[in-house]
Amino acid sequence: MKKILITYDMFREGFAELESRYDVTFPPKGKDFTYDEVMEMIPEYDVLCSMLDFPVNKELIDRATKLKLVANYAVGYNNIDVAYALEKGITVTNTPAPTTEPTANLALVLLLDTARRISECDRKVRRFGDQMKRGTLENLGMPVTDMTLGIIGMGRIGKALCKRARACGMEVIYHNRRRLDLHEETTAEATYVTMDELLTQSDFVSLNAPYTPETHHIIGEAELKKMKPTAILINTARGAMVDEKALIKALKNKEIYGAGLDVFEFNDRPSPELLTMDNVVLTPHIGTQTTYSRIKMARAVSDNVIGFFEDDRPVSRVLRP
């Protein structure tokens, strides 16, 4: 019987079919396996089910002499040395489908929250109560309807966000590594533009591309200077796609209006300066943090493992780094 090692504590119902077919090892309830624990156990396992923050590096891969598959519980896979795994004949999979809708929903929520200053006003109401200023020129936010959203990365999540933005009456432009075909563009009601055009024309810029060496600091000082002073940056992708120090500088200097951030550059923790800014909305990497989404992702991991061995269902393979 194939041996499956799961590094993280998760709702077990998502792994029910996997458990019925294979010998599955879970960490004790309420904790995840540490890297050292996995290093100790991995030589005996055929499959490693890793979480997005668990490093699957060369040292671990070299020790995993029986390993045939790394099934990542995430759409992103920058925690895995994919090139080395593939070189060693190890398949890598991810879970894009279940992450699409909840992440797109959060991106829209951050956009609306930052634009209309919802979290800021919530804090003011709680702090000042009846003493809060309520004049007609107080707490003015940015409009959303009839504004332009620029989406960087028009994959599954980008397209899902586009659909939501269009429902809010927004115009959508996008930049992507590959331009969509005419049918996809027409269906999405989105217009392809260059990166410079997107930055200069957008009222909102949303990052929805995968994190790769090419997208590291895709938004830096030069890009922020091209954005409108009324523009809002949304990041639900990966923190290091934004030069966080440059972003803080741009926010302080009012080069852009605000930011809605679910991810952060340094150990996925916000820089202290961001915590003091009312024009920044922060969430702790909760793009897929719903019970329903977590169970669906666990089932997607299970499907990848079962499909890999049984060839009875699609497998979401990562084909290159």
Side-chain angles (χ1 to χ4, degrees):
M1 184 178 286
K2 303 296 184 186
K3 296 192 68 175
I4 319 296
L5 177 59
I6 296 177
T7 68
Y8 46 90
D9 183 37
M10 186 50 61
F11 299 110
R12 293 287 285 269
E13 55 261 52
F15 296 105
E17 186 179 6
L18 193 69
E19 287 190 272
S20 72
R21 291 172 179 254
Y22 308 115
D23 179 3
V24 182
T25 301
F26 292 93
K29 190 169 181 59
K31 72 179 292 288
D32 298 338
F33 282 130
T34 66
Y35 177 82
D36 289 341
E37 288 171 330
V38 172
M39 281 289 281
E40 182 69 26
M41 295 185 287
I42 197 63
E44 299 183 18
Y45 286 86
D46 302 284
V47 177
L48 176 66
C49 297
S50 53
M51 181 59 79
L52 59 91
D53 58 354
F54 185 89
V56 183
N57 53 24
K58 288 183 179 180
E59 290 75 18
L60 190 146
I61 291 170
D62 282 340
R63 187 165 168 76
T65 53
K66 293 178 61 179
L67 197 65
K68 302 174 182 65
L69 172 67
V70 177
N72 210 39
Y73 183 98
V75 62
Y77 43 83
N78 53 294
N79 58 306
I80 302 169
D81 190 332
V82 175
Y84 193 65
L86 297 178
E87 180 184 320
K88 291 290 187 177
I90 299 168
T91 297
V92 178
T93 63
N94 64 344
T95 59
T99 66
T100 301
E101 303 301 327
T103 306
N105 287 341
L106 181 65
L108 180 63
V109 167
L110 288 172
L111 185 157
L112 294 169
D113 190 327
T114 311
R116 296 303 308 273
R117 302 171 63 181
I118 294 170
S119 291
E120 178 188 351
C121 287
D122 176 84
R123 291 191 295 270
K124 288 180 178 178
V125 170
R126 294 173 188 274
R127 181 179 178 185
F128 298 111
D130 288 343
Q131 303 305 311
M132 180 180 172
K133 294 182 180 179
R134 288 175 169 81
T136 55
L137 297 181
E138 295 292 337
N139 306 307
L140 296 175
M142 300 299 294
V144 173
T145 301
D146 296 329
M147 296 294 103
T148 297
L149 169 63
I151 296 176
I152 299 174
M154 201 64 154
R156 289 172 182 260
I157 296 170
K159 290 175 184 174
L161 176 59
C162 176
K163 181 179 178 180
R164 287 154 174 76
R166 293 292 299 157
C168 292
M170 302 184 77
E171 297 296 322
V172 179
I173 58 179
Y174 77 96
H175 184 76
N176 202 44
R177 182 176 53 192
R178 175 188 65 85
R179 182 173 181 173
L180 303 181
D181 62 37
L182 181 60
H183 175 72
E184 289 178 301
E185 275 194 359
T186 304
T187 301
E189 298 183 275
T191 302
Y192 178 82
V193 294
T194 67
M195 185 68 168
D196 278 355
E197 288 172 331
L198 184 144
L199 293 170
T200 58
Q201 295 175 20
S202 297
D203 301 294
F204 300 86
V205 173
S206 179
L207 296 177
N208 301 105
Y211 178 64
T212 66
E214 290 73 29
T215 60
H216 179 80
H217 282 190
I218 194 171
I219 299 294
E221 184 174 0
E223 290 74 25
L224 289 161
K225 286 183 180 298
K226 293 175 183 177
M227 292 170 63
K228 298 178 180 180
T230 54
I232 290 172
L233 177 69
I234 305 297
N235 189 7
T236 56
R238 287 293 185 267
M241 292 173 69
V242 177
D243 182 339
E244 200 161 290
K245 292 180 179 178
L247 174 61
I248 291 167
K249 180 180 176 183
L251 290 165
K252 284 182 176 179
N253 294 340
K254 301 188 185 303
E255 293 171 6
I256 66 171
Y257 179 82
L261 308 173
D262 185 49
V263 289
F264 310 97
E265 182 175 4
F266 306 109
N267 299 314
D268 217 8
R269 299 291 188 273
S271 298
E273 295 95 329
L274 293 173
L275 302 178
T276 67
M277 296 180 175
D278 279 332
N279 58 338
V280 179
V281 177
L282 308 171
T283 53
H285 205 155
I286 60 169
T288 58
Q289 288 280 45
T290 72
T291 301
Y292 179 69
S293 298
R294 288 305 194 203
I295 292 172
K296 283 186 69 176
M297 289 176 69
R299 287 176 181 151
V301 170
S302 297
D303 283 340
N304 281 334
V305 176
I306 296 167
F308 176 78
F309 286 120
E310 312 298 336
D311 198 25
D312 62 349
R313 65 198 71 186
V315 175
S316 179
R317 287 178 168 85
V318 176
L319 301 178
R320 56 181 176 76

PDB file of all heavy atoms in Angstrom, residues 185-209:
ATOM      1  N   GLU A 185     -11.310  37.091 -24.463  1.00  0.00           N
ATOM      2  CA  GLU A 185     -11.389  38.527 -24.188  1.00  0.00           C
ATOM      3  C   GLU A 185     -12.820  39.028 -24.288  1.00  0.00           C
ATOM      4  O   GLU A 185     -13.280  39.815 -23.453  1.00  0.00           O
ATOM      5  CB  GLU A 185     -10.511  39.307 -25.178  1.00  0.00           C
ATOM      6  CG  GLU A 185      -9.069  39.416 -24.759  1.00  0.00           C
ATOM      7  CD  GLU A 185      -8.325  40.464 -25.574  1.00  0.00           C
ATOM      8  OE1 GLU A 185      -8.930  41.096 -26.473  1.00  0.00           O
ATOM      9  OE2 GLU A 185      -7.118  40.641 -25.317  1.00  0.00           O
ATOM     10  N   THR A 186     -13.539  38.583 -25.321  1.00  0.00           N
ATOM     11  CA  THR A 186     -14.925  39.016 -25.517  1.00  0.00           C
ATOM     12  C   THR A 186     -15.807  38.538 -24.380  1.00  0.00           C
ATOM     13  O   THR A 186     -16.636  39.292 -23.854  1.00  0.00           O
ATOM     14  CB  THR A 186     -15.466  38.496 -26.864  1.00  0.00           C
ATOM     15  OG1 THR A 186     -14.613  38.945 -27.919  1.00  0.00           O
ATOM     16  CG2 THR A 186     -16.879  39.000 -27.109  1.00  0.00           C
ATOM     17  N   THR A 187     -15.601  37.286 -23.968  1.00  0.00           N
ATOM     18  CA  THR A 187     -16.385  36.734 -22.855  1.00  0.00           C
ATOM     19  C   THR A 187     -16.089  37.483 -21.558  1.00  0.00           C
ATOM     20  O   THR A 187     -17.009  37.787 -20.783  1.00  0.00           O
ATOM     21  CB  THR A 187     -16.065  35.235 -22.680  1.00  0.00           C
ATOM     22  OG1 THR A 187     -16.373  34.537 -23.893  1.00  0.00           O
ATOM     23  CG2 THR A 187     -16.867  34.633 -21.530  1.00  0.00           C
ATOM     24  N   ALA A 188     -14.824  37.779 -21.320  1.00  0.00           N
ATOM     25  CA  ALA A 188     -14.428  38.471 -20.081  1.00  0.00           C
ATOM     26  C   ALA A 188     -14.775  39.951 -20.102  1.00  0.00           C
ATOM     27  O   ALA A 188     -14.842  40.585 -19.050  1.00  0.00           O
ATOM     28  CB  ALA A 188     -12.930  38.302 -19.845  1.00  0.00           C
ATOM     29  N   GLU A 189     -14.975  40.500 -21.293  1.00  0.00           N
ATOM     30  CA  GLU A 189     -15.187  41.946 -21.445  1.00  0.00           C
ATOM     31  C   GLU A 189     -14.009  42.720 -20.841  1.00  0.00           C
ATOM     32  O   GLU A 189     -14.173  43.670 -20.079  1.00  0.00           O
ATOM     33  CB  GLU A 189     -16.501  42.392 -20.806  1.00  0.00           C
ATOM     34  CG  GLU A 189     -17.744  41.767 -21.421  1.00  0.00           C
ATOM     35  CD  GLU A 189     -19.018  42.297 -20.800  1.00  0.00           C
ATOM     36  OE1 GLU A 189     -19.418  41.748 -19.756  1.00  0.00           O
ATOM     37  OE2 GLU A 189     -19.600  43.260 -21.330  1.00  0.00           O
ATOM     38  N   ALA A 190     -12.820  42.289 -21.230  1.00  0.00           N
ATOM     39  CA  ALA A 190     -11.590  42.919 -20.746  1.00  0.00           C
ATOM     40  C   ALA A 190     -10.702  43.262 -21.939  1.00  0.00           C
ATOM     41  O   ALA A 190     -10.730  42.577 -22.962  1.00  0.00           O
ATOM     42  CB  ALA A 190     -10.855  41.981 -19.792  1.00  0.00           C
ATOM     43  N   THR A 191      -9.908  44.291 -21.789  1.00  0.00           N
ATOM     44  CA  THR A 191      -9.060  44.781 -22.869  1.00  0.00           C
ATOM     45  C   THR A 191      -7.596  44.586 -22.518  1.00  0.00           C
ATOM     46  O   THR A 191      -7.146  44.987 -21.433  1.00  0.00           O
ATOM     47  CB  THR A 191      -9.325  46.280 -23.129  1.00  0.00           C
ATOM     48  OG1 THR A 191     -10.713  46.455 -23.444  1.00  0.00           O
ATOM     49  CG2 THR A 191      -8.471  46.795 -24.274  1.00  0.00           C
ATOM     50  N   TYR A 192      -6.839  43.985 -23.432  1.00  0.00           N
ATOM     51  CA  TYR A 192      -5.412  43.779 -23.218  1.00  0.00           C
ATOM     52  C   TYR A 192      -4.648  45.088 -23.431  1.00  0.00           C
ATOM     53  O   TYR A 192      -4.896  45.820 -24.397  1.00  0.00           O
ATOM     54  CB  TYR A 192      -4.880  42.725 -24.178  1.00  0.00           C
ATOM     55  CG  TYR A 192      -3.397  42.496 -24.056  1.00  0.00           C
ATOM     56  CD1 TYR A 192      -2.894  41.663 -23.063  1.00  0.00           C
ATOM     57  CD2 TYR A 192      -2.500  43.111 -24.922  1.00  0.00           C
ATOM     58  CE1 TYR A 192      -1.525  41.450 -22.928  1.00  0.00           C
ATOM     59  CE2 TYR A 192      -1.129  42.911 -24.793  1.00  0.00           C
ATOM     60  CZ  TYR A 192      -0.653  42.079 -23.797  1.00  0.00           C
ATOM     61  OH  TYR A 192       0.694  41.881 -23.659  1.00  0.00           O
ATOM     62  N   VAL A 193      -3.723  45.394 -22.522  1.00  0.00           N
ATOM     63  CA  VAL A 193      -2.884  46.583 -22.631  1.00  0.00           C
ATOM     64  C   VAL A 193      -1.460  46.228 -22.223  1.00  0.00           C
ATOM     65  O   VAL A 193      -1.214  45.188 -21.621  1.00  0.00           O
ATOM     66  CB  VAL A 193      -3.396  47.736 -21.730  1.00  0.00           C
ATOM     67  CG1 VAL A 193      -4.752  48.244 -22.196  1.00  0.00           C
ATOM     68  CG2 VAL A 193      -3.453  47.290 -20.260  1.00  0.00           C
ATOM     69  N   THR A 194      -0.530  47.098 -22.536  1.00  0.00           N
ATOM     70  CA  THR A 194       0.834  46.912 -22.052  1.00  0.00           C
ATOM     71  C   THR A 194       0.877  47.180 -20.546  1.00  0.00           C
ATOM     72  O   THR A 194      -0.044  47.756 -19.969  1.00  0.00           O
ATOM     73  CB  THR A 194       1.808  47.867 -22.755  1.00  0.00           C
ATOM     74  OG1 THR A 194       1.488  49.213 -22.361  1.00  0.00           O
ATOM     75  CG2 THR A 194       1.711  47.734 -24.270  1.00  0.00           C
ATOM     76  N   MET A 195       1.968  46.779 -19.931  1.00  0.00           N
ATOM     77  CA  MET A 195       2.118  47.009 -18.496  1.00  0.00           C
ATOM     78  C   MET A 195       2.099  48.498 -18.179  1.00  0.00           C
ATOM     79  O   MET A 195       1.442  48.937 -17.221  1.00  0.00           O
ATOM     80  CB  MET A 195       3.420  46.371 -18.003  1.00  0.00           C
ATOM     81  CG  MET A 195       3.619  46.440 -16.507  1.00  0.00           C
ATOM     82  SD  MET A 195       2.437  45.413 -15.603  1.00  0.00           S
ATOM     83  CE  MET A 195       3.191  45.443 -13.972  1.00  0.00           C
ATOM     84  N   ASP A 196       2.801  49.286 -18.962  1.00  0.00           N
ATOM     85  CA  ASP A 196       2.822  50.736 -18.724  1.00  0.00           C
ATOM     86  C   ASP A 196       1.427  51.333 -18.872  1.00  0.00           C
ATOM     87  O   ASP A 196       1.022  52.194 -18.074  1.00  0.00           O
ATOM     88  CB  ASP A 196       3.777  51.421 -19.700  1.00  0.00           C
ATOM     89  CG  ASP A 196       5.229  51.346 -19.236  1.00  0.00           C
ATOM     90  OD1 ASP A 196       5.469  50.849 -18.112  1.00  0.00           O
ATOM     91  OD2 ASP A 196       6.108  51.787 -19.992  1.00  0.00           O
ATOM     92  N   GLU A 197       0.686  50.906 -19.870  1.00  0.00           N
ATOM     93  CA  GLU A 197      -0.675  51.407 -20.069  1.00  0.00           C
ATOM     94  C   GLU A 197      -1.561  51.033 -18.892  1.00  0.00           C
ATOM     95  O   GLU A 197      -2.381  51.845 -18.431  1.00  0.00           O
ATOM     96  CB  GLU A 197      -1.256  50.860 -21.372  1.00  0.00           C
ATOM     97  CG  GLU A 197      -0.637  51.463 -22.615  1.00  0.00           C
ATOM     98  CD  GLU A 197      -1.078  50.770 -23.884  1.00  0.00           C
ATOM     99  OE1 GLU A 197      -1.397  49.554 -23.837  1.00  0.00           O
ATOM    100  OE2 GLU A 197      -1.101  51.438 -24.940  1.00  0.00           O
ATOM    101  N   LEU A 198      -1.400  49.826 -18.400  1.00  0.00           N
ATOM    102  CA  LEU A 198      -2.208  49.393 -17.256  1.00  0.00           C
ATOM    103  C   LEU A 198      -1.932  50.270 -16.038  1.00  0.00           C
ATOM    104  O   LEU A 198      -2.863  50.718 -15.355  1.00  0.00           O
ATOM    105  CB  LEU A 198      -1.928  47.918 -16.940  1.00  0.00           C
ATOM    106  CG  LEU A 198      -2.776  47.296 -15.825  1.00  0.00           C
ATOM    107  CD1 LEU A 198      -3.090  45.834 -16.146  1.00  0.00           C
ATOM    108  CD2 LEU A 198      -2.093  47.378 -14.466  1.00  0.00           C
ATOM    109  N   LEU A 199      -0.672  50.516 -15.768  1.00  0.00           N
ATOM    110  CA  LEU A 199      -0.316  51.291 -14.579  1.00  0.00           C
ATOM    111  C   LEU A 199      -0.811  52.731 -14.665  1.00  0.00           C
ATOM    112  O   LEU A 199      -1.276  53.298 -13.676  1.00  0.00           O
ATOM    113  CB  LEU A 199       1.196  51.273 -14.382  1.00  0.00           C
ATOM    114  CG  LEU A 199       1.804  49.911 -14.023  1.00  0.00           C
ATOM    115  CD1 LEU A 199       3.326  49.974 -14.098  1.00  0.00           C
ATOM    116  CD2 LEU A 199       1.353  49.441 -12.650  1.00  0.00           C
ATOM    117  N   THR A 200      -0.720  53.323 -15.838  1.00  0.00           N
ATOM    118  CA  THR A 200      -1.094  54.738 -15.971  1.00  0.00           C
ATOM    119  C   THR A 200      -2.600  54.945 -16.091  1.00  0.00           C
ATOM    120  O   THR A 200      -3.112  56.000 -15.716  1.00  0.00           O
ATOM    121  CB  THR A 200      -0.401  55.368 -17.196  1.00  0.00           C
ATOM    122  OG1 THR A 200      -0.762  54.638 -18.374  1.00  0.00           O
ATOM    123  CG2 THR A 200       1.108  55.358 -17.025  1.00  0.00           C
ATOM    124  N   GLN A 201      -3.336  53.932 -16.578  1.00  0.00           N
ATOM    125  CA  GLN A 201      -4.758  54.090 -16.823  1.00  0.00           C
ATOM    126  C   GLN A 201      -5.647  53.597 -15.682  1.00  0.00           C
ATOM    127  O   GLN A 201      -6.805  53.998 -15.569  1.00  0.00           O
ATOM    128  CB  GLN A 201      -5.164  53.345 -18.102  1.00  0.00           C
ATOM    129  CG  GLN A 201      -4.545  53.899 -19.370  1.00  0.00           C
ATOM    130  CD  GLN A 201      -4.871  53.060 -20.594  1.00  0.00           C
ATOM    131  OE1 GLN A 201      -5.828  52.283 -20.602  1.00  0.00           O
ATOM    132  NE2 GLN A 201      -4.072  53.208 -21.644  1.00  0.00           N
ATOM    133  N   SER A 202      -5.141  52.718 -14.830  1.00  0.00           N
ATOM    134  CA  SER A 202      -5.981  52.040 -13.843  1.00  0.00           C
ATOM    135  C   SER A 202      -6.261  52.892 -12.612  1.00  0.00           C
ATOM    136  O   SER A 202      -5.370  53.576 -12.100  1.00  0.00           O
ATOM    137  CB  SER A 202      -5.324  50.724 -13.399  1.00  0.00           C
ATOM    138  OG  SER A 202      -5.205  49.828 -14.478  1.00  0.00           O
ATOM    139  N   ASP A 203      -7.486  52.804 -12.121  1.00  0.00           N
ATOM    140  CA  ASP A 203      -7.841  53.370 -10.816  1.00  0.00           C
ATOM    141  C   ASP A 203      -7.559  52.368  -9.708  1.00  0.00           C
ATOM    142  O   ASP A 203      -7.350  52.742  -8.549  1.00  0.00           O
ATOM    143  CB  ASP A 203      -9.323  53.764 -10.810  1.00  0.00           C
ATOM    144  CG  ASP A 203      -9.642  54.783 -11.886  1.00  0.00           C
ATOM    145  OD1 ASP A 203      -9.142  55.920 -11.786  1.00  0.00           O
ATOM    146  OD2 ASP A 203     -10.356  54.438 -12.844  1.00  0.00           O
ATOM    147  N   PHE A 204      -7.583  51.094 -10.066  1.00  0.00           N
ATOM    148  CA  PHE A 204      -7.247  50.001  -9.150  1.00  0.00           C
ATOM    149  C   PHE A 204      -6.334  49.050  -9.912  1.00  0.00           C
ATOM    150  O   PHE A 204      -6.596  48.726 -11.073  1.00  0.00           O
ATOM    151  CB  PHE A 204      -8.494  49.243  -8.691  1.00  0.00           C
ATOM    152  CG  PHE A 204      -9.499  50.092  -7.965  1.00  0.00           C
ATOM    153  CD1 PHE A 204     -10.452  50.807  -8.675  1.00  0.00           C
ATOM    154  CD2 PHE A 204      -9.498  50.173  -6.586  1.00  0.00           C
ATOM    155  CE1 PHE A 204     -11.389  51.589  -8.024  1.00  0.00           C
ATOM    156  CE2 PHE A 204     -10.422  50.958  -5.918  1.00  0.00           C
ATOM    157  CZ  PHE A 204     -11.367  51.672  -6.636  1.00  0.00           C
ATOM    158  N   VAL A 205      -5.283  48.567  -9.252  1.00  0.00           N
ATOM    159  CA  VAL A 205      -4.379  47.582  -9.840  1.00  0.00           C
ATOM    160  C   VAL A 205      -4.386  46.353  -8.942  1.00  0.00           C
ATOM    161  O   VAL A 205      -4.098  46.456  -7.742  1.00  0.00           O
ATOM    162  CB  VAL A 205      -2.947  48.128  -9.973  1.00  0.00           C
ATOM    163  CG1 VAL A 205      -1.986  47.025 -10.439  1.00  0.00           C
ATOM    164  CG2 VAL A 205      -2.907  49.306 -10.947  1.00  0.00           C
ATOM    165  N   SER A 206      -4.737  45.202  -9.515  1.00  0.00           N
ATOM    166  CA  SER A 206      -4.801  43.967  -8.732  1.00  0.00           C
ATOM    167  C   SER A 206      -3.791  42.959  -9.250  1.00  0.00           C
ATOM    168  O   SER A 206      -3.720  42.682 -10.449  1.00  0.00           O
ATOM    169  CB  SER A 206      -6.212  43.360  -8.804  1.00  0.00           C
ATOM    170  OG  SER A 206      -6.266  42.152  -8.060  1.00  0.00           O
ATOM    171  N   LEU A 207      -3.006  42.404  -8.324  1.00  0.00           N
ATOM    172  CA  LEU A 207      -2.016  41.385  -8.671  1.00  0.00           C
ATOM    173  C   LEU A 207      -2.642  40.014  -8.529  1.00  0.00           C
ATOM    174  O   LEU A 207      -3.067  39.617  -7.435  1.00  0.00           O
ATOM    175  CB  LEU A 207      -0.794  41.499  -7.769  1.00  0.00           C
ATOM    176  CG  LEU A 207       0.004  42.800  -7.886  1.00  0.00           C
ATOM    177  CD1 LEU A 207       1.147  42.803  -6.889  1.00  0.00           C
ATOM    178  CD2 LEU A 207       0.521  42.979  -9.300  1.00  0.00           C
ATOM    179  N   ASN A 208      -2.691  39.275  -9.620  1.00  0.00           N
ATOM    180  CA  ASN A 208      -3.283  37.938  -9.623  1.00  0.00           C
ATOM    181  C   ASN A 208      -2.452  36.945 -10.416  1.00  0.00           C
ATOM    182  O   ASN A 208      -2.961  35.915 -10.855  1.00  0.00           O
ATOM    183  CB  ASN A 208      -4.707  38.000 -10.186  1.00  0.00           C
ATOM    184  CG  ASN A 208      -5.605  38.916  -9.389  1.00  0.00           C
ATOM    185  OD1 ASN A 208      -5.915  40.025  -9.820  1.00  0.00           O
ATOM    186  ND2 ASN A 208      -6.004  38.489  -8.205  1.00  0.00           N
ATOM    187  N   ALA A 209      -1.173  37.245 -10.589  1.00  0.00           N
ATOM    188  CA  ALA A 209      -0.254  36.373 -11.320  1.00  0.00           C
ATOM    189  C   ALA A 209       0.468  35.444 -10.338  1.00  0.00           C
ATOM    190  O   ALA A 209       0.535  35.723  -9.139  1.00  0.00           O
ATOM    191  CB  ALA A 209       0.765  37.220 -12.088  1.00  0.00           C
TER     192      ALA A 209
END
